[in-house]
Amino acid sequence: MPQRKGNGSSGTAIRRRWWHLRQHWGMLGVFEINPEHEFFFLTSVMKRGLHDAIQTSMDTPSPDELTPEHFKMVETQVQEDFEMQTFAGPVFASLRCSQGIMEEEYQISVASEGYYLQFVSNSKSKADFFITHDKRFFLKTQSRREVTFLLSNLQLYLDHLEKYPHSLMVRFLGVHKIVIPNQIKKYFIVMQSVFYPDERINIRYDIKGCEVGRWTNSAAEGSRIIKVLKDNNFEGQHITLGNQGSWFVEQVKIDSTFLRGLNVLDYSLLLAHQPLHQDELDRKRSFANLIIRTTKSMDLDDSPREAHPPTIPLLEEKSARTVQDTDTASDPPPQASGENTGDRIPLQEMKCSAARSSPESELQEFQAHHRRLLPNSKNSVHVIDGPDSRYFVGIIDIFTVYSWRKRLENLWKRLRFPGRAFSTVSPPVYSERFCQWVQSHTQ
């Protein structure tokens, strides 16, 4: 009896402690990494290391031009109880700047006194996932092989983003390694969160374009774990983008073609959506919002090192009443003139490179870069507004190379799942099937 009583007391204490933690966390799918959490020490040293690494970036003049040496650079911050290595620091600082992320705000977000959050989902990955306290940036532990792959293809990745600045591929913002003597040696990357802001996102999908193993049971009522649903869960639904649909399908093709060239497979399209409120619909259709969105779209890949770029009129007014909210790069931004008078009234001046000299050349470059009008948000490249819903989309997990191990896995799955679609296939097959899924589910 005494033993039974002791077990009961212990169980009550555990339940009380669990209740207290759940009340304290109070957030779906994320758990605060406070001093009692198993990852508190690791995330604390990550924050300290990131703070110093970003401070070094802020204190060092930006290079006029990135060189091969910048891509190979490894900087080490040595602390009393750990050291952190930063790989290709100037390259990622340049990439952050190109995304409109200032170093000061980046440092505040990833290295503030606020606790990191642990993201808990049904992912099969062995990696650990952390989110900054404001949920804007994602940190993920990676294997040495994955980090080596990313760094060896970093120039190609940047070239792709420069050519297609509205690419849907996730933006990697830093690659680091934490070393705690005799305890921990971990690589991790920092990236933009696709699902930001996530306050109204209730359902998330991870899409690979196949059927085997692509069903997830919904989370039990009251569960604290986010269930990321899969391809088969999405059947019967569509990504309804209206006049954005053709741009979206084409950009997925462009990005998957790039990944096919890297001999990569098993990447995913992260997808979530939320209904637009009436005030968001009204603001979306306003002429002032159109100008803001066009400015954001045109400025995205302007050089951050150009202190005072020349400007030219981009949009001129015909009549605010005649402007339609156009979301596709295939439809030109509205040109404007005074109605029936020929007078032209400048409304907005845009930053541009010296080579741009007219609204016509701006439009040609806009289309050549496969751009769209970006929403006015800090996560604009991953947000697409359809007629009635806002979609959060991003292509992630781009590190799986079609190695001999994957080729053997392909042979085994062909025997086990004859005639069925599974994820481990050659990059050309994976890319084509991935694009077909997106096209057939977009309207």
Side-chain angles (χ1 to χ4, degrees):
M1 290 295 292
Q3 180 67 34
R4 188 173 299 173
K5 182 177 179 180
N7 288 343
S9 300
S10 176
T12 300
I14 291 173
R15 286 193 295 272
R16 185 182 298 115
R17 177 177 173 80
W18 176 244
W19 177 87
H20 172 74
L21 291 175
R22 285 186 60 180
Q23 290 296 109
H24 183 62
W25 291 326
M27 292 173 284
L28 178 65
V30 292
F31 302 92
E32 191 175 76
I33 304 177
N34 58 29
E36 298 176 329
H37 196 286
E38 63 174 315
F39 287 126
F40 178 74
F41 180 63
L42 173 61
T43 55
S44 295
V45 298
M46 288 169 70
K47 286 198 296 183
R48 287 161 55 194
L50 284 169
H51 179 278
D52 290 352
I54 300 166
Q55 191 63 48
T56 299
S57 173
M58 293 165 59
D59 295 340
T60 304
S62 301
D64 294 332
E65 184 176 349
L66 294 174
T67 66
E69 286 68 31
H70 291 124
F71 286 82
K72 300 175 184 177
M73 186 178 294
V74 181
E75 301 167 281
T76 303
Q77 286 85 34
V78 179
Q79 303 280 359
E80 182 179 350
D81 49 351
F82 74 97
E83 69 178 45
M84 191 179 85
Q85 295 179 335
T86 297
F87 300 91
V91 178
F92 286 107
S94 177
L95 178 56
R96 293 192 293 269
C97 191
S98 73
Q99 301 302 304
I101 302 171
M102 298 299 99
E103 294 295 84
E104 292 84 357
E105 66 173 317
Y106 183 62
Q107 186 183 55
I108 290 172
S109 185
V110 303
S112 72
E113 294 182 359
Y115 298 132
Y116 278 176
L117 308 171
Q118 182 186 13
F119 179 76
V120 181
S121 76
N122 57 314
S123 171
K124 295 180 180 179
S125 172
K126 295 181 181 179
D128 299 314
F129 300 86
F130 309 119
I131 311 175
T132 55
H133 72 288
D134 57 5
K135 300 186 181 180
R136 188 175 176 188
F137 302 109
F138 223 86
L139 297 90
K140 180 182 178 183
T141 59
Q142 303 281 170
S143 68
R144 179 179 180 180
R145 180 196 62 78
E146 291 167 332
V147 166
T148 300
F149 175 80
L150 174 59
L151 294 175
S152 64
N153 291 287
L154 185 56
Q155 180 68 72
L156 295 174
Y157 171 75
L158 291 184
D159 290 345
H160 180 78
L161 296 187
E162 182 178 1
K163 186 173 182 180
Y164 302 104
H166 298 181
S167 165
L168 299 172
M169 286 201 300
V170 68
R171 298 312 196 259
F172 299 110
L173 305 176
V175 177
H176 309 273
K177 179 184 178 183
I178 283 285
V179 179
I180 303 174
N182 303 318
Q183 293 187 52
I184 295 173
K185 184 184 295 183
K186 283 186 180 290
Y187 292 91
F188 70 94
I189 59 174
V190 185
M191 66 190 95
Q192 272 186 296
S193 173
V194 173
F195 299 141
Y196 175 81
D198 72 342
E199 285 77 10
R200 289 161 48 207
I201 297 177
N202 295 320
I203 302 177
R204 298 163 169 82
Y205 294 91
D206 179 292
I207 303 297
K208 293 184 181 292
C210 58
E211 59 167 321
V212 174
R214 305 304 296 166
W215 171 268
T216 295
N217 293 324
S218 299
E221 186 175 354
S223 172
R224 304 300 302 168
I225 296 178
I226 290 179
K227 286 278 191 168
V228 179
L229 305 181
K230 300 179 181 178
D231 305 56
N232 295 333
N233 299 96
F234 197 80
E235 283 309 307
Q237 304 180 63
H238 287 87
I239 306 169
T240 305
L241 297 177
N243 59 4
Q244 288 260 43
S246 60
W247 179 91
F248 172 66
V249 170
E250 184 61 25
Q251 187 60 57
V252 169
K253 291 180 180 178
I254 291 170
D255 289 337
S256 63
T257 297
F258 169 75
L259 295 174
R260 182 177 65 196
L262 296 182
N263 200 34
V264 163
L265 69 153
D266 219 25
Y267 43 90
S268 299
L269 178 73
L270 278 187
L271 172 67
H273 62 89
Q274 58 185 217
L276 290 171
H277 289 161
Q278 187 59 48
D279 63 328
E280 292 173 318
L281 291 170
D282 293 341
R283 187 164 58 249
K284 178 174 177 282
R285 293 165 182 151
S286 73
F287 187 68
N289 184 258
L290 174 63
I291 295 176
I292 293 173
R293 295 169 62 214
T294 306
T295 304
K296 181 182 288 289
S297 299
M298 296 303 298
D299 287 348
L300 194 64
D301 73 336
D302 283 343
S303 170
R305 295 179 293 275
E306 191 173 1
H308 300 288
T311 60
I312 63 168
L314 177 71
L315 298 177
E316 298 176 71
E317 182 180 26
K318 179 175 182 181
S319 168
R321 293 188 302 272
T322 66
V323 174
Q324 299 294 322
D325 185 21
T326 304
D327 283 335
T328 60
S330 60
D331 295 329
Q335 299 297 317
S337 60
E339 188 171 6
N340 299 326
T341 66
D343 296 332
R344 301 178 68 82
I345 308 172
L347 286 182
Q348 179 73 31
E349 289 195 336
M350 308 290 299
K351 294 178 183 178
C352 64
S353 65
R356 302 175 188 168
S357 59
S358 69
E360 290 75 16
S361 63
E362 290 280 0
L363 176 58
Q364 290 174 358
E365 186 151 347
F366 190 93
Q367 294 171 329
H369 281 116
H370 199 66
R371 296 173 186 249
R372 60 190 172 93
L373 297 188
L374 296 173
N376 187 26
S377 71
K378 289 188 176 181
N379 195 32
S380 54
V381 295
H382 292 303
V383 175
I384 306 178
D385 285 351
D388 302 305
S389 296
R390 170 163 295 167
Y391 291 85
F392 295 79
V393 293
I395 296 176
I396 64 164
D397 294 341
I398 66 170
F399 302 122
T400 303
V401 176
Y402 196 50
S403 62
W404 65 268
R405 289 180 181 271
K406 288 297 177 181
R407 293 173 188 270
L408 291 177
E409 185 178 338
N410 171 267
L411 292 173
W412 177 75
K413 287 187 175 181
R414 286 167 61 184
L415 294 173
R416 185 178 180 185
F417 306 110
R420 300 182 65 190
F422 47 83
S423 63
T424 310
V425 293
S426 68
V429 173
Y430 193 95
S431 173
E432 182 178 2
R433 192 176 61 192
F434 186 77
C435 295
Q436 285 177 347
W437 189 99
V438 170
Q439 185 166 9
S440 64
H441 289 81
T442 301
Q443 60 183 25

